[in-house]
Amino acid sequence: MKAVVYDRYGSPDGLRIEDLPKPSPAARQVLVKIAATSVNLSDWEALRGSPLYARIGGLRSPARRTLGSDIAGRVEAVGSAVTRFRPGDEVYGDNLMLKGGFAEYAIAPESVLARKPAALTFAEASAIPQAGAIAHQGTAGAGAGSRVLINGAGGGSGAFAIQLAKRLGAQVSGVDNAGKLDFMRSVGADEVIDYRSRDFTRGGPYDLILDLVAYRSVFAYRRALAPGGRYRCVGGSVPAVLRVLTVGALAGRLSNRRLGVLAVREGPAHFEPVADLCVAGDLGIHIDRAFTLDETPKALAYVGEGRALGKVVVSVT
């Protein structure tokens, strides 16, 4: 089978196509013939090995040679203990632990997969699991009249988060680079902010801040929160995340605000509700571009350099 592999952390130039043996599933695993895999910021971080938490399991070299966790395709074979799927089933899921989606076949635990809704294409289904779960959990608690700010709102998770917060009745501000302002408006943001020209932490106050790219000080985030407000970060620099975990928790309690890191729960129970909303037409799936398997390095660069409007997909078959 063809697979995109890398052996050291660095730029997309270090990726290459190799012919590898088709893997065989263990007892509780499923072999998936990949149709589409969406690109996440976590793929870019794992490629570069930065922030440092992206090297968990492989400090000096990558733990998994093939990236790609948000997969969609058909079941090719199942392990002896698998009960939920059989060959030919159309499935999708976030295979974050094993990855392997930028290839013709990938092994995934049965537990991370769900049946693909018939109304969604493979590309659309692959766009949902990781980004949808982050957005769904990150906007929990937003309500009618609340002020919500999403930092990094022009990407995959951000586009879902804007729509989910609006659906809950919130007033939504989206922050990203200038090239994404119109896109954020198009998916429902009431206010859009170019982070290069305006410091969002001097605005607000906001009842909820979902930060997908944390890098500012804890006290700046606290300043932007209304009394009783909540700040949750999902990604960002290691120093920023550590400050939120330590200083942020104390600073929040002392000022009637809550600052913390969103521990995203994975699995079908957490992304299928988003897929259901997409099937019902209540949420839109925004795919900016589709690349071929051979173009995986370009796809990763496009996301990593902050150019993607919504999701980017690698179409494999």
Side-chain angles (χ1 to χ4, degrees):
M1 71 171 189
K2 291 174 62 178
V4 179
V5 303
Y6 74 127
D7 297 307
R8 60 181 60 88
Y9 298 116
S11 76
D13 294 337
L15 296 166
R16 65 186 185 278
I17 293 280
E18 276 193 8
D19 285 317
L20 302 176
K22 185 165 65 173
S24 299
R28 297 188 180 278
Q29 293 179 335
V30 174
L31 176 65
V32 180
K33 182 175 175 58
I34 302 296
T37 299
S38 75
V39 182
N40 291 296
L41 188 58
S42 60
D43 294 309
W44 175 252
E45 293 173 343
L47 171 65
R48 295 174 61 243
S50 176
L52 191 59
Y53 55 71
R55 298 186 181 219
I56 292 175
L59 186 60
R60 295 183 178 276
S61 60
R64 303 291 177 186
R65 296 182 70 220
T66 298
L67 296 168
S69 59
D70 271 357
I71 62 174
R74 290 184 175 85
V75 174
E76 179 80 2
V78 299
S80 59
V82 170
T83 59
R84 295 172 48 230
F85 304 110
R86 61 184 182 182
D89 287 345
E90 297 183 347
V91 296
Y92 72 122
D94 182 2
N95 195 26
L96 185 60
M97 292 303 295
L98 298 183
K99 301 184 175 64
F102 299 134
E104 292 180 315
Y105 294 90
I107 291 289
E110 178 186 21
S111 60
V112 308
L113 298 173
R115 293 184 184 276
K116 182 185 76 67
L120 299 180
T121 66
F122 286 112
E124 290 170 335
S126 76
I128 294 172
Q130 192 172 127
I134 290 171
H136 192 254
Q137 294 167 54
T139 56
S146 61
R147 297 193 64 183
V148 174
L149 181 135
I150 302 160
N151 187 30
S157 298
F160 280 130
I162 289 173
Q163 295 178 80
L164 287 166
K166 287 298 296 180
R167 189 170 179 273
L168 293 169
Q171 184 84 6
V172 180
S173 299
V175 182
D176 216 307
N177 64 57
K180 299 188 179 185
L181 300 185
D182 288 341
F183 173 71
M184 291 188 292
R185 288 191 190 97
S186 74
V187 295
D190 301 288
E191 176 190 36
V192 294
I193 300 169
D194 174 7
Y195 74 88
R196 293 190 181 105
S197 61
R198 180 177 157 196
D199 182 356
F200 73 83
T201 69
R202 296 189 178 278
Y206 301 99
D207 301 296
L208 172 64
I209 296 176
L210 174 60
D211 198 346
L212 302 169
V213 284
Y215 66 94
R216 296 179 181 270
S217 78
V218 164
F219 301 104
Y221 296 132
R222 185 181 67 174
R223 178 178 62 214
L225 285 174
R230 295 178 300 120
Y231 167 90
R232 292 290 181 267
C233 69
V234 179
S237 70
V238 169
V241 172
L242 288 175
R243 287 194 297 265
V244 171
L245 283 169
T246 54
V247 179
L250 177 60
R253 282 198 298 269
L254 293 174
S255 59
N256 189 29
R257 293 160 174 84
R258 287 175 289 169
L259 290 87
V261 174
L262 179 65
V264 180
R265 298 181 299 279
E266 302 166 14
H270 304 292
F271 64 73
E272 283 188 298
V274 177
D276 290 341
L277 291 171
C278 294
V279 169
D282 295 325
L283 291 183
I285 301 170
H286 297 274
I287 296 175
D288 183 350
R289 293 190 183 183
F291 294 82
T292 65
L293 186 62
D294 291 345
E295 295 172 326
T296 298
K298 294 180 181 178
L300 281 159
Y302 190 70
V303 171
E305 293 165 4
R307 291 184 285 161
L309 305 177
K311 292 292 294 184
V312 166
V313 170
V314 171
S315 294
V316 181
T317 56

